[in-house]
Amino acid sequence: MLPDLLLEPIVRAALVEDLSPMGDATTKAVIPAGKTYSARLNAREDGVVSGMQVAAMAFRLVDPGLRIAVLVGDGKPCKKGETLMTIDGSAASILMGERVALNFAGRLSGIATKTAGFVEKTRGTKARITCTRKTTPGLRVLEKAAVTHGGGFNHRYGLSDAILIKDNHVAAAGGIRQVLEAAKAARSHMMRIELEVDTLRQMEEALKIGGADVILLDNMDTSELRAAVALNAGRVVLEASGNMTLERIAEVAATGVDYISSGALTHSARTLDLGLDF
């Protein structure tokens, strides 16, 4: 679980967006004061769960008096019809928190489910599935957590945690030697350097110069990836990226690369169908 301190501002902002400026007009109009109810957050399809922590937080921020029990935690598989959470207490409070809780839980469970599908394709290989920075603005901490709930791994969180030299950096700086030498001179002992290459020739040059801890093999076909693994001979970590679809993951993993990164885990995940039933 992530510290609530990190998550509360995100959840609070979503509730403010939904309840501003005058609260829930429908609930005020039709739900009698003091009415209590027991609600169930149910899965309407199979998947992998994520977002229970933030869904529970949404309900508690609306009403700390609600009694919430998480029955299927983040990172666990779920089946269609299974109850993931129960919420007991004020019916009005439950209804006010419902949509925000479901928006978070459905979105994050969709990412976890998609990631789990990618991970399953790597069984029997050393390849690890990792996400990218292609996340929903403001929700990165949640979406990256959802990737781990699906069995994947996180790439760098943002621009400050690692030096990732892409082709536009190389072009602007004047070449691979220039960027690697500059990066080696600038980094601290705790900072890793990753270099993106588009061709085997670039990779060979990078290996001769040295300094990269990771080489990102961008948009290479499967035969090029195999050749890159052979050329590398275990010297640096290899990451395959670009056009990494579910249908292709197994053959990429079989090439021997260490990591496979995919922006689709977050930017193209379908929301898992969840519902709140009274």
Side-chain angles (χ1 to χ4, degrees), residues 43 62-63 73 96 130 158 170 204 231 235 244 276:
V62 169
D63 183 351
M96 282 189 282
T130 183
V170 174
E204 187 172 15
L231 177 63
R235 283 179 280 183
M244 294 300 163
L276 193 72

Side-chain angles (χ1 to χ4, degrees), residues 194-245:
E194 180 171 15
L195 174 71
E196 177 187 277
V197 300
D198 302 314
T199 66
L200 294 174
R201 180 176 293 179
Q202 289 177 327
M203 179 180 172
E204 187 172 15
E205 181 183 358
L207 290 172
K208 286 180 180 177
I209 295 166
D213 303 295
V214 185
I215 292 180
L216 188 157
L217 308 168
D218 186 45
N219 280 300
M220 290 190 179
D221 62 31
T222 305
S223 62
E224 288 175 312
L225 292 174
R226 290 195 196 97
V229 170
L231 177 63
N232 184 50
R235 283 179 280 183
V236 300
V237 173
L238 294 182
E239 174 189 337
S241 188
N243 191 33
M244 294 300 163
T245 62

Side-chain angles (χ1 to χ4, degrees), residues 103-243:
N103 283 350
F104 279 124
R107 167 70 179 156
L108 299 176
S109 295
I111 291 171
T113 300
K114 189 175 186 73
T115 302
F118 275 57
V119 170
E120 182 60 33
K121 296 290 187 179
T122 69
R123 300 290 181 199
T125 73
K126 67 175 182 177
R128 289 179 165 184
I129 297 296
T130 183
C131 57
T132 70
R133 287 168 44 241
K134 295 177 182 177
T135 54
T136 306
L139 299 184
R140 182 169 294 172
V141 65
L142 299 179
E143 294 182 351
K144 281 186 171 284
V147 168
T148 67
H149 293 153
F153 290 81
N154 285 168
H155 210 280
R156 60 176 179 162
Y157 181 81
L159 291 172
S160 64
D161 358 342
I163 296 172
L164 200 172
I165 304 165
K166 306 199 82 172
D167 53 359
N168 47 2
H169 295 105
V170 174
I176 288 176
R177 178 173 295 279
Q178 288 90 330
V179 291
L180 285 176
E181 289 180 350
K184 285 187 288 183
R187 76 161 167 180
S188 73
H189 68 293
M190 296 294 286
M191 183 75 71
R192 300 189 86 192
I193 297 173
E194 180 171 15
L195 174 71
E196 177 187 277
V197 300
D198 302 314
T199 66
L200 294 174
R201 180 176 293 179
Q202 289 177 327
M203 179 180 172
E204 187 172 15
E205 181 183 358
L207 290 172
K208 286 180 180 177
I209 295 166
D213 303 295
V214 185
I215 292 180
L216 188 157
L217 308 168
D218 186 45
N219 280 300
M220 290 190 179
D221 62 31
T222 305
S223 62
E224 288 175 312
L225 292 174
R226 290 195 196 97
V229 170
L231 177 63
N232 184 50
R235 283 179 280 183
V236 300
V237 173
L238 294 182
E239 174 189 337
S241 188
N243 191 33

